[in-house]
Amino acid sequence: MVNPFTGRKGISEVFYKEIVDYTKLDYNEVKPFNVKNETSKSRQIKRALVPTAISFAPTTVSAGTGTTIVISIAGGATGNFGETRGKVSFRNADSGGEDNGFPDYIDALDTQVTNWTSTSIMVQVPYKAGTGNIRVTDASQNVVDSSVDLIVTHAELNVNATFPIGNETKTYAYPTRLVNNDGSGGYVWQMESSFDAEEQHVGSKADYIAALDTWRCETGLNFTIGPVTSIDEAALDGVNVIRFDNGSELGDGVLGQTSYYFNGCGSSPENYEVFADEMDMVFDDGESWHFGSGLPGFEIDFQSVALHELGHAHQLGHGIEENNDVMHFSIGLAEQIRVLSADNKQGGSNVQIRNESDTPSCFSGKSAMETYDCNLSVTDQELENAISIYPNPATDIINFESE
């Protein structure tokens, strides 16, 4: 038996008549239906839902900070956004805003679109947003792009967390922070033994320390260097390790990578805070690196990359700014960026204010980060780590022991 699935043209003129012929019964018309009229209405609605041009304010923002922009229908434009919520997209800073020559966007979370009407949209700028145009997609999948670029000065890292709310789930973005993680005032980093001895690359340790000093002397970031470690992997193991990778551990074109392990707590999704519990940093062992003074020529400048990765550890995200911005998503041969821009400093200082604020009670055992004393040299730190004083407290005799 064959029962082919075929189409019918003309519902009211043909199909209804066939039903009557088959059933020998007349039909009751509940509501008049005309395909041509309904299709025309649908097309008219679809055309009406998308503005022909949009504008927004402010035009210069930071990302991941809760900064809100208002998107409106541009003067003289026709159409509207519709009453049903769509989505707002920004250029993806992690890719430089392009993927194989095509625009690359990231969407704001539904919880970041705080208001949507037919004439106006309010949206918080997500932390992965970079400089570039804004895209609005309405509920009917119609798209309109801004003709003006949004300028993103810097980005601060966020963690997205999803919670059950009633019969649905909602995802929220939370700015991250650093703390006095282990009683040292901040975070103690440990160089893997071969990195510390510069077995792979002579000059890497000195350039890393120089990059570290740049951040902590500009923003007060409390990162110190502790004892050497034998740990040679990125893992949640209680050690913030600095090392070169093993084999092809990092993907093609990846010069460095900072890993984070976060903890968070709060009484409600709207009252939630997140801090970095541990971090690890790895660099590409197989790269042709430039170390020390002078220009890199046809090599990659290691100190610039270390400065970039330390910016991530400082809880800053990528930017799209090729002109002397260390947090730009990429760096090329012969480029050297060893000085922080005003935007880098501002972003780091903003995060540091959060780092040094009181911690919530649910941050068990953690206190606010202390400002780093930039006058304390790495040699002073190493000496402090190498000397043990006991007993402590003492009554009349103190013993000093060095490693």
Side-chain angles (χ1 to χ4, degrees):
M1 182 177 180
V2 179
N3 185 16
F5 185 58
T6 58
R8 289 284 188 273
K9 292 184 178 180
I11 291 178
S12 56
E13 297 88 353
V14 177
F15 188 55
Y16 286 177
K17 185 176 183 303
E18 289 183 2
I19 291 175
V20 171
D21 291 340
Y22 282 123
T23 63
K24 308 303 180 183
L25 297 171
D26 202 359
Y27 63 88
N28 294 322
E29 186 175 59
V30 177
K31 181 181 179 181
F33 178 79
N34 185 290
V35 173
K36 292 180 181 178
N37 290 344
E38 294 300 323
T39 302
S40 176
K41 290 177 184 177
S42 175
R43 287 173 178 164
Q44 289 171 11
I45 292 172
K46 195 169 185 179
R47 281 197 297 268
L49 281 180
V50 58
T52 54
I54 58 175
S55 60
F56 57 87
T59 56
T60 300
V61 298
S62 55
T65 59
T67 302
T68 296
I69 62 170
V70 179
I71 305 172
S72 307
I73 300 170
T78 59
N80 62 74
F81 299 118
E83 296 294 343
T84 303
R85 182 174 301 214
K87 64 181 180 180
V88 182
S89 308
F90 300 82
R91 288 299 183 107
N92 183 2
D94 284 350
S95 66
E98 291 188 356
D99 184 13
N100 292 321
F102 294 95
D104 185 26
Y105 295 93
I106 56 101
D107 300 334
L109 299 174
D110 287 345
T111 52
Q112 291 175 319
V113 181
T114 57
N115 190 51
W116 184 295
T117 70
S118 62
T119 58
S120 177
I121 301 168
M122 295 180 66
V123 58
Q124 295 175 350
V125 181
Y127 88 94
K128 287 191 176 184
T131 295
N133 68 299
I134 295 172
R135 170 169 288 182
V136 174
T137 305
D138 69 18
S140 298
Q141 301 303 306
N142 299 298
V143 173
V144 57
D145 293 339
S146 66
S147 59
V148 175
D149 285 348
L150 175 71
I151 305 300
V152 179
T153 58
H154 74 273
E156 299 176 19
L157 290 186
N158 286 185
V159 166
N160 292 346
T162 302
F163 298 90
I165 308 293
N167 295 324
E168 59 181 357
T169 59
K170 290 186 178 182
T171 302
Y172 296 84
Y174 301 100
T176 60
R177 63 168 291 175
L178 302 174
V179 294
N180 179 359
N181 200 46
D182 50 19
S184 67
Y187 295 75
V188 175
W189 290 80
Q190 296 177 245
M191 294 182 178
E192 184 272 327
S193 55
S194 62
F195 187 100
D196 178 76
E198 298 188 329
E199 293 177 9
Q200 295 101 327
H201 298 281
V202 175
S204 56
K205 179 179 178 180
D207 275 13
Y208 184 89
I209 296 300
L212 177 59
D213 278 340
T214 298
W215 274 114
R216 56 190 181 181
C217 290
E218 287 288 357
T219 67
L221 176 68
N222 199 324
F223 285 174
T224 54
I225 302 298
V228 173
T229 180
S230 61
I231 293 175
D232 194 15
E233 63 176 349
L236 184 58
D237 50 20
V239 176
N240 304 301
V241 67
I242 308 158
R243 64 189 185 91
F244 281 107
D245 73 340
N246 300 299
S248 57
E249 180 182 344
L250 293 179
D252 291 342
V254 179
L255 301 172
Q257 181 173 284
T258 301
S259 303
Y260 318 86
Y261 307 91
F262 291 106
N263 265 323
C265 59
S267 58
S268 68
E270 292 79 14
N271 181 26
Y272 200 81
E273 293 193 48
V274 176
F275 71 93
D277 195 35
E278 186 182 319
M279 295 172 280
D280 294 313
M281 197 173 296
V282 59
F283 299 93
D284 182 15
D285 179 46
E287 185 56 56
S288 179
W289 295 108
H290 168 79
F291 300 100
S293 60
L295 298 175
F298 291 100
E299 295 176 314
I300 298 292
D301 188 61
F302 181 80
Q303 188 173 325
S304 298
V305 175
L307 194 65
H308 176 98
E309 292 305 320
L310 283 162
H312 286 319
H314 203 328
Q315 308 302 290
L316 296 179
H318 282 141
I320 304 177
E321 176 52 71
E322 296 183 17
N323 297 320
N324 297 319
D325 192 309
V326 74
M327 296 314 297
H328 184 62
F329 82 104
S330 69
I331 189 172
L333 299 175
E335 290 187 71
Q336 190 174 71
I337 308 174
R338 297 183 173 186
V339 178
L340 301 179
S341 69
D343 290 335
N344 299 151
K345 295 176 187 177
Q346 184 64 59
S349 296
N350 287 351
V351 174
Q352 192 62 18
I353 291 172
R354 192 157 61 245
N355 297 342
E356 296 180 11
S357 64
D358 291 339
T359 56
S361 58
C362 61
F363 279 19
S364 178
K366 308 296 182 182
S367 57
M369 175 177 275
E370 300 171 9
T371 304
Y372 177 75
D373 181 3
C374 193
N375 293 318
L376 182 65
S377 69
V378 174
T379 302
D380 293 332
Q381 290 177 32
E382 292 178 339
L383 181 61
E384 181 180 348
N385 292 328
I387 294 178
S388 299
I389 302 174
Y390 63 92
N392 186 14
T395 54
D396 51 1
I397 298 175
I398 299 177
N399 299 294
F400 295 86
E401 182 178 300
S402 63
E403 296 180 355

